[in-house]
Structure formats: structure tokens, C-alpha cells
């Protein structure tokens, strides 16, 4: 059956098209495009992507306004029902602001916008998003953000690490994130938030294809389920 | 009724903006500044019968991110 995915667009999203292209290229099916002001999602979704950008101009805090958009109630419900949800960059910020993922993303410790391809370590290759990688594998994914400094208190970090919920870790310090965390999973493992952009690394023309494995993992996991 | 909500990073949370301001003050030759923390002031103009609980909920649900920030609410007496 065709892979049924959805990409959400907020005012200020700018990676929604990249995300849609990535999902279509890897899965063979074009995703449904959903506007933030909608309050319902289509039925029977296999995958929801909350893309990067600057929703609502980062007013108040990155992701804060988008997290209170009508569509987010439906996304929280879908996530609680087990639908895989991927948040990238601003999407990660939005998922932490909704409470689907723990922690918060703060201004980069160096105050600068960082925009480059960075090495990541795959910490958990047991999730539906990461099962195509080797555990401990070093992959290269672009980052482009000003507010990617992941913060959670020590107890939360210990729990995340203990439960294998750190999906990706920066191999160099990029933005001051605590314990160099680049991506985290929810407790059930069906929600992943990450600052690096896998949708920008799916074609050789991008300079690398290490992001492609993430989408392939999700598609294979669905087929196996 | 005017209400001032002060949002600040919790103690111990790194504040790069405050650090940059601190650095700039030192650059201007102001010694003796021990630390700088930057926050945000949000001015609300609300109806007089707005309850304290509602103000609290506004802060908790939107104005502050309780993972990293604290808030304080100050009701301004009209002049």
C-alpha cells in the first residue's frame, strides 16, 4: 500500500517543500500537505513531518506560537495513537513546546547562527526512524539554526540516556546542547525531534545521502509492522 | 488593569544573550559588573476582573517555557 505521509506548513515554514520532496523521492508517494490552521488530519496517516523554518517569525520563543496552532492538537492525538511524527529543526522546537518531547531548545551558546554539515553519532538504532543505521555509526547531516541548544535538567537527561532515547549526538560541540544531544525520542519511540536536517541529505547532489536512511527506516518499519 | 509579566531564565541555565551583554559592557569600560541575565517583559492590558489564576495559566501555558524559564507577575496600579 502507498506510504501515506503528511507535511505540516506553518506561516514561516521554509523546509516544508524539501521535506515533501524527500518523502516523495524515498517513498514514491507524494505526501499530503497540511495547513497549520486545519484542526483535523487525514485518516490513516503513516508518517507526519513537522518541518523546519521560522514559524510565526520565532515570536516569543522558537516554536511557541506554532505549538498552540489548531493542527497541533490533532498531531498530539495522532502521536499518542502511535503515528510516527518527525520534527526537524523548527519542527523539533515545536514538538518540545507542545510537550510531545522533553526539554527545550535555547539560543545557541555561541550566539551565532550555525549552518554547516556536521558529524553525528547514531546512539540508538532500535527506533523506527534509525533502524537502518548501525549503532554508533558516524553520519553527516547539515544543520542550520540559531536556537538549537538543547536543554533539559540532569534528571531528565539521565532518564533519556538510560532509556536509550538519545537518537543522535553531535560529535563536535555545535550549539552548546547539553551532552551534545542532537535528537531525542519520546518514551514510545514514535516521535523523533532533531535539529539537523535529514531531508537535506537524501541525494548525491546534496553532498551526501546519510539522511535518506532515516526515511527508508520509517518506510521499512511500517512495511514490517 | 496593566500587568507586567517578567520572564527570565532559571538560575543555572546558560544565558548566552546575558553573557554577550556582559561582554559588551566590559568592552565599554564598565568594570565591576558581576553577571548579566537577560529576560523579557511582557505587558498585558487585561480587564479588571481577570483572576490571578488566569494570569498564572497565561504564563504557564504560553508566556514562559517552564522547562527553562521562571516568571513573575506584577499588577501595576493605574496612576
Amino acid at each position: 500500500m502507498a506510504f501515506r505521509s503528511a507535511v505540516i506548513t506553518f506561516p514561516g515554514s521554509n523546509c516544508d517543500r524539501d521535506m515533501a520532496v524527500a518523502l516523495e523521492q524515498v517513498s514514491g508517494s507524494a505526501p499530503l500537505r497540511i495547513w497549520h490552521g486545519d484542526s483535523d488530519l487525514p485518516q490513516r496517516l503513516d508518517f507526519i513531518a513537522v518541518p523546519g523554518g521560522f514559524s510565526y517569525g520565532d515570536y516569543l520563543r522558537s516554536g511557541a506560537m506554532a505549538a498552540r496552532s489548531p493542527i497541533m492538537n490533532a498531531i498530539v492525538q495522532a502521536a499518542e495513537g502511535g503515528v510516527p511524527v518527525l520534527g526537524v529543526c523548527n519542527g523539533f522546537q515545536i514538538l518540545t513546546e507542545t510537550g510531545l518531547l522533553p526539554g527545550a531548545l535555547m539560543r545557541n551558546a555561541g550566539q551565532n547562527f550555525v549552518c554547516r554539515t556536521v558529524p553525528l553519532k547514531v546512539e540508538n538504532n532500535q527506533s523506527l526512524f534509525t533502524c537502518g543505521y548501525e549503532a554508533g555509526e558516524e553520519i553527516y547531516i547539515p544543520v542550520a539554526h540559531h536556537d538549537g541548544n538543547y536543554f533539559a535538567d540532569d534528571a531528565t537527561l539521565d532518564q533519556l540516556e538510560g532509556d536509550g532515547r538519545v537518537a543522535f549526538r553531535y560529535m563536535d560541540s555545535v550549539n552548546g546542547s547539553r551532552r551534545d544531544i542532537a535528537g531525542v525520542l519520546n518514551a514510545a519511540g514514535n516521535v523523533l525531534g532533531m535539529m539537523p536536517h535529514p531531508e537535506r541529505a537524501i541525494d548525491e547532489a546534496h553532498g551526501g545521502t546519510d539522511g535518506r536512511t532515516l526515511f527508508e527506516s520509517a518506510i521499512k518499519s511500517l512495511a514490517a509492522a | 488593569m496593566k500587568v507586567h509579566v517578567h520572564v527570565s531564565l532559571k538560575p543555572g541555565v546558560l544565558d548566552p544573550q546575558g553573557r554577550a551583554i556582559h561582554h559588551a559592557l566590559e568592552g565599554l569600560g564598565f568594570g565591576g559588573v558581576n553577571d548579566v541575565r537577560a529576560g523579557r517583559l511582557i505587558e498585558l492590558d487585561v480587564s479588571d476582573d481577570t483572576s490571578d489564576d488566569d494570569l498564572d495559566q497565561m504564563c504557564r501555558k504560553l508566556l514562559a517555557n517552564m522547562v527553562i524559564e521562571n516568571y513573575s507577575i506584577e499588577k501595576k496600579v493605574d496612576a
Side-chain angles (χ1 to χ4, degrees), chain A residues 60-61 64-65 68 97 103-104 106-109 111 149 151, chain B residues 13-14 16-17 19-20 40 61-65 67-69:
Chain A
L60 190 62
R61 297 177 304 275
M65 299 297 181
R68 279 80 187 173
E97 281 282 347
M106 307 198 309
R107 181 59 43 97
N108 293 344
Q111 287 276 46
N149 179 355
F151 180 89
Chain B
V13 174
L14 175 73
Q17 194 184 2
R19 207 166 55 176
R40 173 185 280 128
K61 287 188 175 171
L62 180 66
L63 302 181
N65 179 330
V67 177
I68 49 173
E69 293 172 333

Side-chain angles (χ1 to χ4, degrees), chain A residues 104-190:
Chain A
L105 280 311
M106 307 198 309
R107 181 59 43 97
N108 293 344
Q111 287 276 46
N112 290 322
F113 190 95
V114 290
C115 183
R116 61 174 187 267
T117 296
V118 300
L120 300 178
K121 185 177 171 196
V122 179
E123 290 286 347
N124 171 340
N125 74 334
Q126 304 294 309
S127 80
L128 73 96
F129 303 97
T130 57
C131 54
Y133 297 106
E134 303 289 327
E137 185 176 345
E138 182 177 340
I139 62 172
Y140 292 84
I141 306 282
V143 296
H145 59 247
H146 205 170
D147 298 282
N149 179 355
Y150 184 74
F151 180 89
D153 60 30
D154 288 326
T156 304
L157 292 171
D158 288 344
Q159 189 182 13
L160 289 175
E161 307 242 26
D163 294 345
R165 288 169 55 189
V166 176
F168 301 106
R169 208 185 298 270
Y170 301 109
M171 299 189 73
D172 307 317
S173 179
V174 169
N175 48 30
S177 287
R178 295 203 76 194
R179 303 190 193 178
D180 286 329
I181 288 171
V184 294
L185 294 153
N186 68 340
N190 67 311

Side-chain angles (χ1 to χ4, degrees), chain B residues 14-54:
Chain B
L14 175 73
D15 178 2
Q17 194 184 2
R19 207 166 55 176
I21 296 167
H22 191 181
H23 186 72
L25 286 172
E26 284 175 340
L28 286 170
F30 293 104
V33 180
N34 295 322
D35 193 20
V36 178
R37 307 282 287 172
R40 173 185 280 128
L41 167 66
I42 300 170
E43 291 185 346
L44 306 177
D45 188 346
V46 297
S47 60
D48 288 346
D49 59 357
T50 305
S51 70
D52 287 355
D53 187 51
D54 273 353

